[in-house]
């Protein structure tokens, strides 16, 4: 065992408070050092409330923190545009899951559709409504396919590392959030490494995963959705009348049978371990306008409909004959706004 060194006077004071309460210790300390050391000692000895400790000194897991569904609804309404299906599904699924003290399995969501339609935004909204630090929380873990799993010849290694990472972080916080981005670029089969964690199990080797949240983000299905939308419009339905049942069968098959979806013949889909398939529809000009206005509000600028129109009209729209949908959704709105400003 390594020898203990008192490298800082505050360390000795902390030791004296916790381990040797009957020994009188007099140490000359700077006021600031004394303050922080005493606060830390109070936290560890129970004199400091968990609320102050978790909010000031450290981030705590807080698995049983009450969930504010109203705040989630407000965020989705104010920030997510043109996605009535995603809005409804995310609100209901997250509210139901986070209000359940004893869920049967982790929550698993697939967010899929064209780029720029709000998938990463929804992921951000979810993290911010679960943890005060949002995406910066140490309990939120983001995996990007091209960054974390770039080499096809290391699939076995990636699977082992992925399982180890999920196991270790779930043991630290049962409410951990795991986000997998760019699923369409992930080598088929890698994602099945997490299949045991998504099943209906009380625990695996002493670790419970039932309160964890898994979010899979993919651009797969975007082209199919874009092809389906005009057909739905031509049948007499407007966008807001669209129901999940109108599109889910074809989109489900596309994810499972498409080699470039990240879920090709995946056991996660085959064994019904994905709780919700959340489609994101292509955005129209009116939705891009709302994105511009939201960006202005985010920058602290006043509402300017004329400026929003100028930015929205600069975007490219497809298909060429009708120009119904924004080619990149709202993804380049901030850059276009910078150019015009």
């Amino acid at each position: 065992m390594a020898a203990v060194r008192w490298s800082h006077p505050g360390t000795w004071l902390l030791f004296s408070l916790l381990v040797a309460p009957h020994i009188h210790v007099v140490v000359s300390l700077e006021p600031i050092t004394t303050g922080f050391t005493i606060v830390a000692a109070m936290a560890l000895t129970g004199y400091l409330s968990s609320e102050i400790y978790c909010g000031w000194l450290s981030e705590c897991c807080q698995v049983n923190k009450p969930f504010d569904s109203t705040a989630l609804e407000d965020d989705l309404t104010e920030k997510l545009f043109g996605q009535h299906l995603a809005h409804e599904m995310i609100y209901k699924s997250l509210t139901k899951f986070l209000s359940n003290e004893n869920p049967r399995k982790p929550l698993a969501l697939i967010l899929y559709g064209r780029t720029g339609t709000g998938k990463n935004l929804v992921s951000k909204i979810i993290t911010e409504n679960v943890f005060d630090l949002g995406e910066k929380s140490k309990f939120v873990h983001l995996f990007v396919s091209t960054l974390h799993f770039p080499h096809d010849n290391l699939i076995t290694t990636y699977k082992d590392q992925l399982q180890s990472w999920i196991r270790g972080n779930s043991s630290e916080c049962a409410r951990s959030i795991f986000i997998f981005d760019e699923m369409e670029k992930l080598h088929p089969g890698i994602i099945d490494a997490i299949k045991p964690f998504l099943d209906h199990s009380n625990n695996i080797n002493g670790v419970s995963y039932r309160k964890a949240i898994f979010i899979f983000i993919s651009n797969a299905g975007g082209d199919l959705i874009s092809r389906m939308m005009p057909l739905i419009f031509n049948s007499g339905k407007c966008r807001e009348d669209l129901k999940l049942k109108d599109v889910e069968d074809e989109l489900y098959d596309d994810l499972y049978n498409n080699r470039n979806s990240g879920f090709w013949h995946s056991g996660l889909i085959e064994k019904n371990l994905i709780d919700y398939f959340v489609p994101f529809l292509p955005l129209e000009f009116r939705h891009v306008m709302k994105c511009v206005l939201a960006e202005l509000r985010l920058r602290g600028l006043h509402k300017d409909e004329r400026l929003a129109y100028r930015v929205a009209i600069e975007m490219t729209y497809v298909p060429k004959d009708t120009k119904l949908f924004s080619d990149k959704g709202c993804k380049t709105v901030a850059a276009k706004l910078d150019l015009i400003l």
Side-chain angles (χ1 to χ4, degrees), residues 217-238:
I217 302 173
S218 177
N219 290 334
D223 291 338
L224 177 59
I225 295 174
S226 295
R227 292 196 301 270
M228 293 172 66
M229 292 297 290
L231 299 176
I232 293 171
F233 290 164
N234 292 336
S235 68
K237 287 186 177 181
C238 68

Side-chain angles (χ1 to χ4, degrees), residues 176-241:
S176 293
I177 299 179
F178 301 96
I179 303 171
F180 298 84
D181 200 2
E182 299 184 349
M183 282 296 300
E184 74 280 0
K185 298 175 183 177
L186 185 66
H187 191 283
I190 288 182
I191 203 62
D192 278 351
I194 71 171
K195 179 177 173 291
F197 307 122
L198 293 182
D199 218 333
H200 298 71
S201 303
N202 286 331
N203 64 70
I204 302 174
N205 296 327
V207 180
S208 175
Y209 302 90
R210 291 181 298 164
K211 292 188 176 183
I213 298 175
F214 291 80
I215 303 172
F216 307 97
I217 302 173
S218 177
N219 290 334
D223 291 338
L224 177 59
I225 295 174
S226 295
R227 292 196 301 270
M228 293 172 66
M229 292 297 290
L231 299 176
I232 293 171
F233 290 164
N234 292 336
S235 68
K237 287 186 177 181
C238 68
R239 184 189 188 98
E240 287 71 22
D241 291 333

Side-chain angles (χ1 to χ4, degrees), residues 144-154 158 185-187 190:
V144 181
S145 297
T146 52
L147 177 63
H148 295 98
F149 315 108
H151 306 295
D152 291 351
N153 59 325
L154 295 177
Y158 293 150
K185 298 175 183 177
L186 185 66
H187 191 283
I190 288 182

Side-chain angles (χ1 to χ4, degrees), residues 296-322:
L296 289 172
R297 185 168 62 250
L298 183 65
R299 299 186 184 195
L301 302 175
H302 69 278
K303 182 177 180 180
D304 189 332
E305 296 276 356
R306 293 179 63 184
L307 178 58
Y309 180 87
R310 285 181 61 194
V311 175
I313 206 69
E314 288 288 324
M315 306 289 281
T316 55
Y317 294 85
V318 293
K320 290 184 178 180
D321 54 341
T322 60

Side-chain angles (χ1 to χ4, degrees), residues 52-115:
I52 296 176
Y53 178 75
C54 292
W56 182 25
L57 294 176
S58 177
E59 184 189 14
C60 298
C61 181
Q62 294 182 297
V63 175
N64 298 316
K65 175 184 175 183
F67 178 64
D68 188 349
S69 61
T70 301
L72 173 64
E73 174 70 20
D74 291 342
D75 278 348
L76 291 170
T77 300
E78 294 173 8
K79 301 174 183 178
L80 183 66
F81 309 117
Q83 304 297 350
H84 67 286
L85 292 178
H87 182 133
E88 180 181 8
M89 294 177 71
I90 294 299
Y91 175 76
K92 289 183 176 180
S93 62
L94 207 63
T95 299
K96 180 180 178 181
F97 181 75
L98 293 176
S99 300
N100 186 352
E101 295 183 359
N102 189 30
R104 297 177 59 191
K105 66 179 292 297
L107 177 64
L109 306 168
I110 294 182
L111 316 181
Y112 61 105
R114 291 185 73 99
T115 183

